């Protein structure tokens, strides 16, 4: 039997159990910290909103000992309940990280279990960081193997693949051997779920919460000797078959431990659909280069691919629509010179000047533009025709956010979430995570009014 | 818009919230009690076995207040943890009930949440029974809509549809209105999972535990105002599409509240695959009619359809093989005149007389026999040729177990599980459930050494 013929779960289990922290590249460790910082910001930005409150009320009567921080909130809950709620908060604003080849948001389902387990067990930052890296790797590789068909069929890939990442990370953190990690992934396979249909509702995040929680449960059960079938992933009645039947096994195993998927992680600079980021950048470029004020603009034409047009041409009545509106993205860029959380919020979206500006923006298909790119053309009231094209928006793999920009994003999220504390210690804590002997102090910075 | 065009979740939600207990047929209530009695027996029979111990050890550090009975065990745990463990125990022996048109085991994912919630809230037996009936109905109808393709594709239908039943039952018990029930089902849709590949491992039951637990969580979240997409079941990126794309919507809604799926529930008289039940019955008939002793039998030929042969012709080395062996089923029937838990157990399967008898049994295909039927032919040592054919084995829809036989099965399960208490109060408690003002006394009969 060739190594490549071994069961996928066995190969992944050996990878997770055998990975050597000393051999992980510094750039990878740094990317993991960027992912966690972005994750923490997204969670504190929304942790006291109604959907998270509702989920917390639902779980509270059944929660166990206060073992782990619920990020951005005052209560501590048992590890599993904290993981569930933190995964909900991490993604609720649609502002978390994106692994572009799968559209997985890698951190939301994986980090919550890692942080909660590490906090409960009093583990250090390096162990947590390493487990998170391995979980994200497993999750994204399984996602690569089934993309793009998996998502297209209706599976919300962040949840459906996230449960594998959560299980792998927890298995590593619990010190399982290769076989134990294999069983953890097999138990996780039977709990994978998440539907694209539910994306417009908070139900999307219930699946993400379950992915985070159930992945940890899978590892805990495997640690106690609970067993799964060897081919739970790729067997004739396994996960790959049941969810659609198309999978490239090589994507799971090739270059494992050499090529790292987390190095391709990206962070949104704007809290709206990624397809609109090039539009915003092109508008901001025009505004800055020509010193434009909104009242100097007669009309705007946005050119993009079909996907951009399909997604961005609906009328705007509130925050949810605004986040998928070409017109709104152009309007806030020209009117305010920025596109942060405030500019997409319900209280801002229907301001008269925005309603008026949106009316002078139109969208047009241009098949010559590659996916993700956009051209913005405008005419000024004094008759000038100006144009800018952006191929790689800020936050893309080719033009990543800087560390400082991620920090600024976290501060913006903290303001949005009416976070009362200084974000400095939290930010510093994440950057120093690798050397932290215990992650408890960092988790304390993520709690509302810690004792 | 015609009533039939309303979203499936809306129609099911209206059914669950609007169902009138007074109008439910007495036969249906009685069948629900038979289902619960069979369920309780299956759970106490295995509740202290290693897989349940492992799952309990995994969850214990995170469990909340002792709100609900873990059936067959000493501890009480929070509602959600108890529901998880009880669903594992209910099905672990593969001896629970079967809804034959879907091969769903209806009770395992639905009853645990109902009983745990009712115990915690101090609810009465009629409310619990009603909620269970409604949950089973929703679960089996959704199963009918996607059968047989769903299971064939690799989905373990008891878990993947069970989560809907658990959600519906919990939503009813929590008093949600029609819209709340609709949202509960939508949240549940994003948490549906379970793989056929994992059937040979305890991982199968982790999915069943999650179905029971997550269904309750879906209802609890909906009760707190958490929301799902309206077409989570049948939308273009919804559950039916993602899990395979073939569904007959009419199976979900036609005759809702008039035709009841639980009336078609069946209970296994033998703890082995249902396809072998006709074989055992035919052997028992020959043994009784001709007063045969095993040593008078020269050889045995079992005739059946391809499914029987495919599943039943492998060698036997232990309990798991014995439960899917034609030879073993014939051997125990002729040697012992019974086919209970003891006769399939590891300590018995390799007895010399069984090994020898199995060698004189052969299986042969007979396409003239309908599915589920079997003919057994034998030659005696004094040269007689005897034969018996069974079309509808004991426990089938056509030849259901009597109430007394289910009671006897429960006593057999209690013996197998080394249950120290008298099963009388438990059995009496289930039959009297409809009139119980509080289900707490019944739950106490299901606890090991109750205080």
């Amino acid at each position: 039997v060739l190594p490549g013929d071994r069961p996928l779960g066995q190969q992944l289990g050996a990878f997770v159990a055998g990975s050597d922290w000393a051999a992980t590249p510094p750039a990878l460790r740094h990317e993991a910290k960027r992912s966690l910082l972005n994750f923490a910001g997204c969670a504190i930005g929304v942790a006291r909103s109604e959907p998270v409150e509702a989920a917390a009320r639902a779980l509270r009567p059944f929660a166990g000992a206060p073992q782990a921080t619920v990020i951005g909130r005052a209560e501590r809950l048992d590890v599993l309940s904290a993981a569930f709620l933190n995964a909900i908060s991490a993604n609720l604003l649609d502002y978390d990280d994106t692994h572009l080849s799968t559209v997985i948001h890698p951190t939301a389902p994986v980090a919550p279990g890692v942080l909660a387990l590490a906090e409960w067990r009093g583990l250090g930052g390096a162990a947590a960081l390493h487990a998170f890296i391995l979980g994200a790797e497993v999750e994204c590789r399984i996602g690569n193997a089934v993309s793009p068909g998996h998502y297209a069929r209706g599976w919300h890939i962040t949840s459906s693949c996230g449960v594998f990442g959560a299980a792998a990370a927890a298995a590593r953190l619990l010190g399982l051997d290769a076989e134990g990690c294999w069983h953890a992934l097999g138990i996780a396979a039977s709990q994978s779920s998440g539907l694209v249909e539910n994306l417009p509702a908070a139900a999307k995040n219930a699946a993400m919460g379950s992915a985070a929680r159930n992945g940890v449960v899978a590892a805990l059960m495997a640690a106690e000797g609970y067993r799964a079938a060897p081919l739970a992933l790729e067997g004739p009645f396994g996960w790959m078959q049941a969810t659609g039947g198309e999978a490239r096994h090589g994507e799971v195993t090739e270059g494992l431990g050499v090529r790292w998927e987390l190095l391709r992680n990206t962070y949104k600079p704007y809290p709206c659909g990624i397809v609109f980021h090039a539009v915003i950048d092109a508008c901001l470029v025009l505004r800055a280069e020509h010193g434009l004020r909104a009242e100097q603009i007669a009309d705007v034409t946005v050119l993009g691919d079909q996907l951009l047009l399909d997604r961005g041409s609906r009328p705007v009545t509130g925050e949810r629509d605004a986040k998928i509106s070409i017109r709104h993205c152009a309007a806030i860029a020209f009117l305010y010179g920025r596109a942060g959380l405030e500019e997409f919020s319900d209280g801002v979206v229907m301001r008269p000047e925005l309603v008026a500006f949106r009316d002078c923006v139109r969208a047009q298909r241009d098949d010559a533009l590659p996916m993700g790119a956009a051209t913005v053309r405008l005419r000024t009231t004094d008759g000038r025709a100006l144009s800018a094209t952006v191929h790689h928006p800020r936050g893309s793999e080719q033009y990543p956010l800087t560390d400082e920009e991620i920090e600024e994003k976290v501060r913006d999220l903290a303001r949005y979430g009416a976070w009362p504390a200084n974000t400095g210690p939290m930010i510093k804590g994440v950057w120093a995570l690798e050397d932290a002997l215990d992650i408890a102090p960092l988790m304390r910075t993520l709690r509302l009014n810690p004792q």
Side-chain angles (χ1 to χ4, degrees), chain A residues 99-424:
Chain A
H99 177 255
L100 290 163
S101 70
T102 57
V103 297
I104 285 175
H105 304 295
T107 307
V110 178
V114 168
L115 297 178
L117 278 173
E119 183 178 356
W120 174 51
R121 291 270 182 115
L123 301 179
L129 214 50
H130 194 191
F132 167 64
I133 287 169
L134 296 172
E137 190 67 21
V138 166
E139 157 192 57
C140 291
R141 280 175 171 268
I142 293 175
N144 282 338
V146 297
S147 290
H150 187 75
Y151 192 100
R153 226 166 273 121
W155 294 109
H156 189 224
I157 192 164
T158 297
S159 298
S160 60
C161 291
V163 71
F164 294 109
R172 171 76 196 200
L173 213 50
L174 294 168
L176 270 60
D177 64 11
E179 203 189 326
C181 292
W182 182 10
H183 285 292
L185 291 170
I187 298 169
S190 266
Q191 300 180 88
S192 161
S193 196
L195 298 174
V196 173
E197 188 73 25
N198 262 331
L199 290 201
K204 168 181 70 164
N205 294 72
M208 217 166 292
S210 282
R213 181 196 181 280
N214 293 341
V216 176
V217 170
L220 289 162
M221 291 176 81
E224 295 295 344
Y226 208 90
R227 292 293 171 246
L231 300 182
L233 267 169
E234 76 273 36
F237 300 100
W239 179 83
M240 287 172 167
Q241 186 58 35
T243 55
E246 291 166 289
R248 296 177 306 283
H249 294 189
E251 297 279 351
V252 178
T253 53
E254 280 164 24
L256 203 51
V258 177
R259 174 173 58 74
W260 295 92
E261 290 301 309
L262 200 61
L263 286 173
R264 300 164 62 198
N265 205 9
T266 69
Y267 315 94
K268 288 182 176 182
Y270 314 118
C272 59
I274 275 188
V275 289
F276 307 111
H277 290 199
V279 176
I280 293 171
D281 277 355
C283 294
L284 291 175
V285 163
L286 287 170
R287 184 178 191 268
E289 272 187 14
H290 303 282
L292 290 174
R293 297 188 312 278
E295 60 267 30
Q296 295 173 289
I297 298 172
D299 57 54
V300 175
T301 303
V302 175
L303 297 98
D305 63 7
Q306 192 57 47
L307 182 68
L308 177 71
L309 266 59
D310 285 348
R311 299 220 176 156
S313 300
R314 280 167 288 193
V316 173
T317 59
E319 179 172 331
R320 194 171 287 279
D321 313 319
K323 286 183 171 180
I324 49 171
S325 162
I326 295 171
R327 291 190 172 91
H328 185 75
C329 288
I332 56 176
F334 283 118
L335 273 160
Y336 309 131
R338 45 175 280 127
L341 289 156
E342 178 75 12
E343 288 73 28
F344 287 96
S345 64
D346 275 327
V348 169
V349 163
M350 297 310 289
R351 282 186 191 161
E353 74 265 25
L354 278 172
V355 174
F357 199 103
R358 286 198 293 262
D359 278 344
C360 77
V361 179
R362 64 192 194 95
Q364 192 178 306
R365 181 166 159 180
D366 181 348
D367 288 329
L369 284 169
M371 203 177 85
T375 292
V376 173
R377 290 186 191 145
L378 63 82
R379 287 185 313 123
T380 59
T381 49
D382 60 1
R384 284 178 291 162
L386 305 174
S387 171
T389 296
V390 168
H391 282 90
H392 302 301
R394 287 176 65 225
S396 63
E397 274 186 70
Q398 294 82 359
Y399 186 12
L401 291 199
T402 64
D403 293 351
E404 293 69 30
E405 286 172 324
I406 296 176
E407 292 182 13
E408 182 51 41
K409 178 179 171 182
V410 169
R411 285 188 285 269
D412 189 38
L413 279 155
R415 273 189 297 274
Y416 181 78
W419 182 245
N422 178 2
T423 52

Side-chain angles (χ1 to χ4, degrees), chain A residues 46-58 60 73 75 85:
Chain A
V46 79
R48 288 179 286 158
S49 70
E50 179 46 31
V52 183
E53 293 287 357
R57 285 196 302 271
R60 197 175 293 134
R73 299 175 59 87
E75 70 263 54
L85 292 177

